[in-house]
Amino acid sequence: MKRALRFLPVFFLWTPPAWAGHAVAGARTRSLGGGGDLDISLGRIIISLVICIVIAGLAALLIKQRGGKFDLKAWLARIEPRTGEIRIVETRRLSLHADISVVRHGDREYLLLLQQNNAQILRERAFPQPLDAEQGSPCD
């Protein structure tokens, strides 16, 4: 009982907001800065809390699964940009709104006319693959 009575004065230091107007008769309570209430619903607060707890739980499971070790180099190697097969060989500006480009994709080469709202293939041809050193020159 003495233990419970020891915390009794602390209970009276906190007053609920509903009682704040009754603490001093005739006193008006004003918020700092003069702004209004926040208008955040209790449902949004609870949903935010649940989402944060789920994210923390998933992070804890990930750390436990990996044994606390995280290989940053392997993770960065996975998201490293791939070398594409499309290569822009040459580009020339024809006018303010038009370019002409030679583009190579695999064993095909394309001549493209690129305009402001349009792109056209002007010419398409097979591009010969370079010879390997083992094959020798074609004149042999």
Side-chain angles (χ1 to χ4, degrees), residues 70-80:
F70 185 71
D71 190 11
L72 185 62
K73 287 184 181 179
W75 186 73
L76 289 176
R78 260 195 284 159
I79 62 170
E80 198 170 289

Side-chain angles (χ1 to χ4, degrees), residues 16-118:
W19 298 351
H22 302 294
V24 178
R28 294 172 125 185
T29 58
R30 297 179 79 188
S31 60
L32 294 176
D37 293 335
L38 286 179
D39 295 336
I40 298 176
S41 68
L42 184 61
R44 290 179 76 183
I45 294 171
I46 291 173
I47 289 173
S48 301
L49 177 66
V50 168
I51 289 172
C52 290
I53 290 172
V54 167
I55 290 172
L58 290 174
L61 287 175
L62 181 68
I63 290 172
K64 184 177 180 181
Q65 180 185 8
R66 306 261 180 196
K69 297 177 184 175
F70 185 71
D71 190 11
L72 185 62
K73 287 184 181 179
W75 186 73
L76 289 176
R78 260 195 284 159
I79 62 170
E80 198 170 289
R82 296 180 291 162
T83 57
E85 291 186 24
I86 298 175
R87 287 190 31 222
I88 299 173
V89 178
E90 187 175 351
T91 299
R92 298 282 181 208
R93 169 119 7 224
L94 296 178
S95 69
L96 187 60
H97 301 289
D99 293 332
I100 191 163
S101 298
V102 177
V103 177
R104 190 174 298 149
H105 178 265
D107 61 344
R108 305 293 296 170
E109 196 170 66
Y110 303 93
L111 180 65
L112 302 176
L113 175 64
L114 306 170
Q115 297 172 344
Q116 191 171 9
N117 294 325
N118 192 7

